[in-house]
Amino acid sequence: MAESSSPQPAIPAQPAARRKIPKAVTRLVLVAVVAWLLLRLVRGVDWGEVGHALTHLSVRQIAVLLVAVVFRRAILAAPLALLIAGLGYLRAMISDVAAAAVATVAPSPGDVVLRLAMLRSWNIDTTDAASGLALSTTLFYVARLAAPVLGFVIFWAARDFYAPFAWSALVFGAGAVVLAGGLLYALRAERTAATIGRLLGRIVQRVRRSSPGPAVWADRLVSFQSHSAARMRQRGLLAVLSQLLLIAVEAGVLVLCVAFVGVHLDGPTVVVMFCSFMVIYPLTGLPLMGAGVMDATFAAFVSDHSAIETTDLVAGLLVWRVAVQLLPVVVGLLTVLIWRRLTWNG
């Protein structure tokens, strides 16, 4: 009698490999979107009129823009001055404009390295420097992501419900809530800081035997967390208010630039421009402050809700970019050169 064959063990099915989208396809889609936005922006633009508007700014208008740009830089530097003990407002502005210039012409984290080097050269405590930089950067991104929510609410109250604004507010607002929630948790989670510190200590010690043990890393991270929490309790409210003011100042400078190229602005038009800029404000986080993408999106929103010509919007946007992007880069790079010369000579 033939032996019955024993059942073969089941071979586990291999999980289907996830098909990743090729990078080339992603880049192609991004290029297509940017190209479409730029074509919409430049279509019908009279570049002769744009050039005329740019070259016919009066001395008074240029002076007003310079004052507005300095005020904008002061607001940008406010969190650093508030959250880093012993820094002072002038040095905070110097550090901020220098780092902004480096971030424009060099890849990250070059700007952070420069900030830390400048703070060390001014004898700022390392924990103060790292804590202040981390807190000010986090608050800045929370404000940047929350700006579309403010823009949508103001536009809805003053004009009408607009679906693209609502979607922008929903998506970016959710990001702002997550980031703010993470910050609040981090400021209260001393045990979590100790746990993460011990984990980092073990990892670093495996790579470098001479590195301090997990207990030292845990103490460092707990000290960093408690120091950050104390600074936020003392100056956090002022830092948050400065970021809310920053959003209004950023939008105001752009409205000012559009007005200076000869556009007559009434109340409803100003509301449209303010809200449109707030809704797309997160796009300024893209390289070169979202050059092209941000401009095209802003022009599309404003032209759809006002009688302003695209040519005038392009002229105003170019003035705005020279004022808030090109000029600070030049000043920032000069600041870096002067700081390095003074540091070396010292």
Side-chain angles (χ1 to χ4, degrees):
M1 184 175 174
E3 295 182 357
S4 60
S5 58
S6 60
Q8 296 294 326
I11 300 176
Q14 295 293 330
R18 293 183 178 179
R19 304 181 66 180
K20 296 183 178 179
I21 301 176
K23 291 184 178 180
V25 175
T26 304
R27 291 174 182 172
L28 182 62
V29 172
L30 290 175
V31 169
V33 172
V34 172
W36 178 81
L37 289 170
L38 290 176
L39 285 174
R40 180 169 182 178
L41 175 64
V42 301
R43 184 173 52 196
V45 173
D46 188 334
W47 291 101
E49 289 188 15
V50 171
H52 178 81
L54 291 175
T55 56
H56 284 73
L57 293 176
S58 67
V59 175
R60 181 186 64 82
Q61 290 173 333
I62 294 175
V64 171
L65 277 179
L66 289 176
V67 172
V69 169
V70 171
F71 183 63
R72 172 181 176 269
R73 296 305 324 179
I75 300 299
L76 278 167
L80 276 182
L82 291 168
L83 297 172
I84 299 181
L87 179 59
Y89 223 103
L90 179 59
R91 284 180 171 177
M93 289 183 64
I94 292 172
S95 171
D96 184 73
V97 72
V102 170
T104 303
V105 300
S108 183
D111 56 328
V112 178
V113 173
L114 175 66
R115 283 184 189 271
L116 289 174
M118 296 183 84
L119 294 173
R120 281 196 300 268
S121 71
W122 295 327
N123 298 318
I124 301 297
D125 179 75
T126 303
T127 302
D128 270 327
S131 172
L133 286 175
L135 290 173
S136 61
T137 301
T138 304
L139 290 178
F140 175 74
Y141 279 102
V142 170
R144 174 177 277 171
L145 294 174
V149 179
L150 297 176
F152 164 68
V153 170
I154 295 172
F155 191 83
W156 192 6
R159 297 286 297 264
D160 196 3
F161 177 87
Y162 186 44
F165 284 9
W167 279 110
S168 178
L170 180 63
V171 173
F172 291 114
V177 170
V178 171
L179 191 57
L183 175 61
L184 291 175
Y185 175 77
L187 293 175
R188 296 174 177 269
E190 185 174 331
R191 290 184 179 179
T192 303
T195 302
I196 295 174
R198 284 190 290 270
L199 178 61
L200 286 175
R202 294 190 188 98
I203 294 173
V204 174
Q205 202 169 46
R206 289 177 182 175
V207 178
R208 293 181 58 189
R209 293 293 182 182
S210 59
S211 174
V216 175
W217 277 87
D219 290 341
R220 288 177 179 176
L221 215 60
V222 169
S223 174
F224 178 85
Q225 183 272 338
S226 60
H227 181 87
S228 300
R231 293 302 293 177
M232 282 297 291
R233 283 194 297 268
Q234 296 168 1
R235 303 288 185 88
L237 179 59
L238 290 175
V240 171
L241 291 176
S242 72
Q243 293 302 294
L244 295 177
L245 177 60
L246 172 64
I247 298 173
V249 170
E250 294 272 38
V253 173
L254 179 54
V255 173
L256 196 64
C257 291
V258 174
F260 281 175
V261 297
V263 178
H264 174 71
L265 299 179
D266 53 16
T269 304
V270 170
V271 170
V272 169
M273 294 182 65
F274 257 86
C275 295
S276 297
F277 182 78
M278 289 181 183
V279 167
I280 65 170
Y281 189 55
L283 296 180
T284 58
L286 296 174
L288 298 177
M289 292 182 66
V293 178
M294 193 281 287
D295 308 58
T297 309
F298 176 79
F301 283 156
V302 174
S303 60
D304 284 347
H305 293 89
S306 70
I308 301 179
E309 297 292 334
T310 305
T311 296
D312 295 328
L313 289 172
V314 171
L317 284 164
L318 289 176
V319 173
W320 176 75
R321 287 209 172 270
V322 170
V324 305
Q325 189 173 359
L326 181 59
L327 182 61
V329 167
V330 175
V331 174
L333 293 178
L334 290 175
T335 301
V336 173
L337 293 176
I338 295 171
W339 167 75
R340 292 187 66 177
R341 181 176 293 275
L342 293 175
T343 304
W344 286 344
N345 290 341

